[in-house]
Amino acid sequence: MPKLLPPLNALRAFEATARHLSFSRAAEELNVTPAALSHQVAGLEAFLGERLFNRSARTISLTPAGDLLYPGLNAAFAQIRQSVERVMETGDGQILVVSAPPGLTAKWLVPRLHRFLAAHPELDVRVSASLMLASFAGDGVDVAIRNATGPFPGLWSRKFLEIETLPIVSPRLIEQYGPLETPDDLARFPIIHDDSLGRMFGLPTWMDWLKAAGAEHVDLSRGLHFSSADHAIEAALEGAGVLLGVRSLAIDDVRVGRLVFPLSLSLRSERSFHIVCPAGHENRPKIAAFCAWILDEAAKLGLACTDDSPPPVSEGKRGRRSVSAAGNDPSPNAPAPAARPQRRGRARQAPT
């Protein structure tokens, strides 16, 4: 009778931890907490009756038993992934699963996605709007959009949109409260807070913007608070207050006159929107097509990030680029410096 095998989740936990030699990085890949992953590894050690890792305060290393177990598991999981990918390419290969933050999904991606579908009617696109990082290993995601600084170990990545924040308001609110021509005028207006800015290191907040503008009499203790950028923008559209928001997420509403950028000072973050996928997957036809399209859409706005790296090339179209839009190399792995002002001057309405 064959011997019982350990639980598959425990084997996955060990393989990822051994590959990264880090519980935290393995937990991020598998989309579990480090504590849960450590518990799974401990269960595997109990099942085998062997310690698999030497643990110290800051590092881990494989024991002889771990060294014996890892190569076979690593090769086995690689074969499983390759087999699944082959089936997906022949079966559901025309399904493209995209993971993106909720705010960007609602205010930027969804209004444009019909153009991608029109250009690629053979593809069935499924969008998962989530703040959780896609693991790619087991969640079925093909490509993801991340608001981050990078780099992304093990992933191909390209910046495609700068993130800069500035005041956003409905013209109706200006009619109600009077001119909004200087930062000090904000003291007369209700304020809207996008709390997602404060949760992410490197994103400017109202406090940062007012300090850069030299405005000292705006009461930030008042106003509506929202945990999602798209909800905060919807509140601004309804005339609930002045929002410090992300330019690229509000640009469509500004162009049709539903919102305006009343003050010219903006703060650029060291974070950007990146498109990412597992390294080597960027040349798969459906992923290459989506990446090329999203870079082109960003370029049309005039807010795209630029660098000299080539765009992805479809495996079926080697030798020619998929799009001429510029992209990015990942940002250096260093703490983001303070947000910097982009412009200062008299208030104006952005052109539509």
Side-chain angles (χ1 to χ4, degrees):
M1 181 176 178
K3 292 184 178 180
L4 291 176
L5 288 173
L8 182 61
N9 280 346
L11 294 173
R12 287 181 68 210
F14 166 75
E15 190 275 336
T17 305
R19 179 160 33 88
H20 291 290
L21 286 178
S22 166
F23 283 105
S24 61
R25 287 199 293 271
E28 181 178 354
E29 176 184 314
L30 299 179
N31 208 18
V32 298
T33 65
L37 183 126
S38 181
H39 180 74
Q40 290 173 345
V41 171
L44 178 62
E45 290 176 322
F47 183 95
L48 298 174
E50 296 279 356
R51 282 194 312 115
L52 300 174
F53 292 103
N54 296 310
R55 298 165 172 85
S56 65
R58 295 186 178 180
T59 62
I60 61 172
S61 61
L62 289 169
T63 64
D67 271 326
L68 188 63
L69 182 61
Y70 173 67
L73 282 183
N74 178 258
F77 279 114
Q79 286 183 332
I80 290 172
R81 282 191 287 270
Q82 291 170 5
S83 297
V84 170
E85 289 166 3
R86 283 196 294 267
V87 170
M88 291 180 69
E89 288 298 323
T90 57
D92 287 340
Q94 300 309 304
I95 295 176
L96 178 70
V97 181
V98 180
S99 173
L104 182 86
T105 299
K107 300 303 296 181
W108 194 88
L109 182 60
V110 168
R112 292 166 172 76
L113 199 54
H114 67 94
R115 292 197 282 269
F116 177 74
L117 295 176
H120 299 278
E122 76 282 4
L123 292 179
D124 178 10
V125 179
R126 301 176 183 178
V127 179
S128 173
S130 174
L131 292 174
M132 297 291 292
L133 296 182
S135 70
F136 300 104
D139 53 15
V141 171
D142 294 301
V143 64
I145 295 172
R146 293 186 179 175
N147 171 345
T149 59
F152 308 96
L155 301 179
W156 175 91
S157 69
R158 290 282 294 278
K159 289 181 185 177
F160 70 95
L161 272 183
E162 299 282 7
I163 296 178
E164 56 177 301
T165 57
L166 74 170
I168 303 166
V169 67
S170 165
R172 290 182 295 145
L173 197 70
I174 293 178
E175 292 176 5
Q176 180 180 352
Y177 284 85
L180 179 48
E181 297 179 343
T182 70
D184 287 329
D185 289 338
L186 287 166
R188 294 186 285 103
F189 284 77
I191 298 295
I192 298 174
H193 303 267
D194 176 3
D195 290 339
S196 66
L197 298 180
R199 290 198 304 267
M200 296 184 183
F201 177 73
L203 287 181
T205 64
W206 263 124
M207 186 175 296
D208 299 317
W209 190 92
L210 292 172
K211 181 178 180 181
E216 301 178 351
H217 304 293
V218 180
D219 183 4
L220 294 182
S221 66
R222 59 191 175 90
L224 288 169
H225 287 254
F226 294 91
S227 61
S228 178
D230 53 317
H231 296 166
I233 292 174
E234 288 301 316
L237 281 165
E238 293 301 319
V242 184
L243 168 69
L244 185 75
V246 177
R247 181 189 292 274
S248 56
L249 301 190
I251 194 70
D252 291 339
D253 291 309
V254 169
R255 285 182 168 178
V256 297
R258 291 193 294 260
L259 292 172
V260 295
F261 301 136
L263 301 170
S264 59
L265 172 64
S266 67
L267 299 184
R268 179 171 292 178
S269 170
E270 293 301 322
R271 302 175 75 96
S272 302
F273 286 114
H274 300 247
I275 186 165
V276 303
C277 68
H281 290 199
E282 68 273 14
N283 295 322
R284 294 183 176 184
K286 63 183 181 181
I287 296 177
F290 184 78
C291 293
W293 169 78
I294 211 166
L295 291 170
D296 187 53
E297 288 289 331
K300 290 176 182 176
L301 284 180
L303 302 175
C305 305
T306 58
D307 71 5
D308 297 324
S309 59
V313 179
S314 168
E315 290 174 340
K317 300 178 181 179
R318 295 285 185 185
R320 75 180 173 92
R321 293 186 175 185
S322 301
V323 68
S324 61
N328 123 276
D329 289 322
S331 304
N333 189 16
R340 56 188 184 274
Q342 289 299 103
R343 298 180 291 278
R344 294 194 67 167
R346 281 188 58 80
R348 61 174 176 81
Q349 178 174 333
T352 61

